[in-house]
């Protein structure tokens, strides 16, 4: 993973979020995960101070994270106060799509990096008024490997699996599906056109993570979306 491939190596920017460092490039071989966990704890404490529900959305590229966010924000923005952190290697495409919903959004470009880390998130949330938010949604870089290892200080990871990817993904990328408290199976509207076997996929998910909650839905047809909204409301109620 990232400690070996060095993909978390990057230069630092200016800060004001409760940790000190000297602006040098993080060295490969330093205990990146220990440092990440320290900063994630700072983030978590900060979010808790505002009673904020924070979700880290992880998935393969194209499973539908941004579409899920767009639909959710358009439906619930009158009810709940949201902000979105968008993680992508390049482009502000996703942030532009979120901005069109009227919800505050900040884009983090990771360049060559294949995941968000707690440090990027600590700076990213400085763009929001946390005291006036209910839910912070973080869209991670599309990648089923590295984001599993990086705690961002979130309440939980939500893994999105679309049925066009095949039902074997939980077995092939178990770390990611083990790290998630909720697994969303998306693009249910395409089921008649594919060989995807839902029961087999559920079984594989149970094998790698028996505790995970599973919600099957379609961002396109709207089927199952109310179950996801209710899950969101329940999580927020636990924070209050
Ligand atoms: N048929 C169908 N298509 C969907 C659904 N949800 C998303 N899509 C399509 O899937 C494609 C990818 O969706 P995105 O929301 O951009 O996926 P993403 O996970 O944000 O992708 P990355 O940011 O690149 O990781 C788009 O063409 C969406 O319109 C769905 O429920 N059904
Ligand atoms: Zn990596
Ligand atoms: Zn910093
Ligand atoms: Zn996206």
């Amino acid at each position: 993973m990232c400690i070996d491939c060095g993909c978390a190596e990057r230069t630092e920017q200016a800060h004001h979020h409760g940790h000190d460092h000297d602006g040098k490039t993080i060295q490969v071989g330093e205990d990146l995960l220990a440092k990440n966990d320290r900063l994630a704890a700072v983030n978590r404490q900060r979010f808790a101070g505002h009673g904020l529900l924070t979700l880290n959305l992880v998935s393969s590229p194209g499973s539908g994270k941004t579409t899920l966010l767009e639909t959710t924000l358009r439906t619930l923005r009158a009810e709940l106060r949201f902000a979105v952190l968008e993680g992508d290697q390049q482009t502000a495409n996703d942030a532009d799509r979120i901005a069109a919903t009227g919800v505050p959004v900040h884009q983090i470009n990771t360049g060559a990096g294949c995941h968000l880390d707690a440090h990027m998130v600590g700076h990213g949330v400085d763009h929001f008024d946390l005291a006036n938010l209910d839910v912070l949604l973080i869209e991670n870089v599309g990648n089923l490997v590295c984001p599993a290892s990086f705690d961002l200080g979130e309440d939980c990871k939500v893994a999105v699996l679309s049925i066009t990817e095949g039902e074997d993904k939980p077995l092939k990328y178990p770390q990611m599906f083990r790290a998630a408290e909720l697994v969303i199976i998306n693009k249910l509207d395409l089921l008649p056109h594919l060989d995807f076997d839902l029961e087999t996929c559920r079984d594989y998910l149970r094998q790698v993570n028996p505790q995970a909650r599973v919600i099957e839905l379609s961002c396109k047809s709207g089927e199952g979306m109310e179950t996801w909204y209710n899950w969101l409301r329940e999580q927020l109620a636990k924070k209050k």
Side-chain angles (χ1 to χ4, degrees):
M1 58 148 228
C2 301
I3 289 172
D4 304 315
C5 70
C7 58
E9 189 184 3
R10 49 182 221 95
T11 34
E12 311 262 17
Q13 298 146 356
H15 327 70
H16 34 86
H17 63 109
H19 67 272
D20 47 273
H21 46 88
D22 58 14
K24 286 189 195 127
T25 303
I26 299 170
Q27 287 182 1
V28 180
E30 183 190 352
D31 193 348
L32 287 171
L33 282 181
K35 175 173 179 160
N36 184 77
D37 286 350
R38 218 164 46 241
L39 294 175
V42 173
N43 289 348
R44 186 168 280 113
Q45 204 166 26
R46 202 170 157 201
F47 302 151
H50 296 292
L52 195 60
L53 173 67
T54 308
L55 304 180
N56 177 6
L57 272 78
V58 294
S59 83
S60 316
S63 68
K65 297 178 296 302
T66 310
T67 310
L68 180 73
L69 292 177
E70 292 175 295
T71 310
T72 302
L73 298 173
R74 291 212 161 88
T75 309
L76 297 184
R77 62 171 296 223
E79 177 185 342
L80 300 172
R81 299 167 299 174
F82 290 97
V84 179
L85 271 185
E86 273 296 340
D88 268 311
Q89 290 200 320
Q90 306 285 338
T91 84
N93 292 1
D94 285 0
D96 292 344
R97 287 166 60 186
I98 299 301
T101 69
V103 164
V105 57
H106 178 72
Q107 176 79 49
I108 300 171
N109 284 125
T110 58
C114 47
H115 59 271
L116 293 175
D117 64 28
H119 188 229
M120 301 171 192
V121 168
H123 287 291
V125 295
D126 284 339
H127 295 262
F128 303 129
D129 176 11
L130 297 183
N132 285 306
L133 291 181
D134 299 309
V135 185
L136 173 68
L137 297 164
I138 305 170
E139 178 177 341
N140 219 310
V141 179
N143 173 3
L144 278 179
V145 184
C146 303
S149 307
F150 287 80
D151 182 5
L152 307 180
E154 74 272 11
D155 289 297
C156 69
K157 291 185 174 63
V158 175
V160 182
L161 168 64
S162 57
I163 65 172
T164 50
E165 298 165 54
E167 57 277 278
D168 62 350
K169 292 302 163 289
L171 292 186
K172 295 182 80 172
Y173 302 92
Q175 270 210 67
M176 180 54 82
F177 291 95
R178 224 167 260 146
E181 266 183 48
L182 170 66
V183 178
I184 289 179
I185 301 181
N186 186 29
K187 308 198 187 180
L188 219 56
D189 58 288
L190 296 177
L191 205 51
H193 310 289
L194 302 169
D195 292 331
F196 188 91
D197 185 39
L198 256 183
E199 195 39 61
T200 304
C201 187
R202 291 184 196 125
D203 182 49
Y204 290 160
L205 281 168
R206 271 193 298 269
Q207 284 181 40
V208 300
N209 185 352
Q211 275 86 42
R213 173 82 196 273
V214 179
I215 297 177
E216 293 147 16
L217 56 76
S218 165
C219 296
K220 194 155 189 170
S221 74
E223 181 184 0
M225 290 297 285
E226 199 57 43
T227 311
W228 149 247
Y229 298 147
N230 284 333
W231 181 87
L232 208 66
R233 292 182 182 111
E234 281 162 28
Q235 302 308 304
L236 191 60
K238 283 192 211 160
K239 310 288 298 181
K240 303 289 173 191

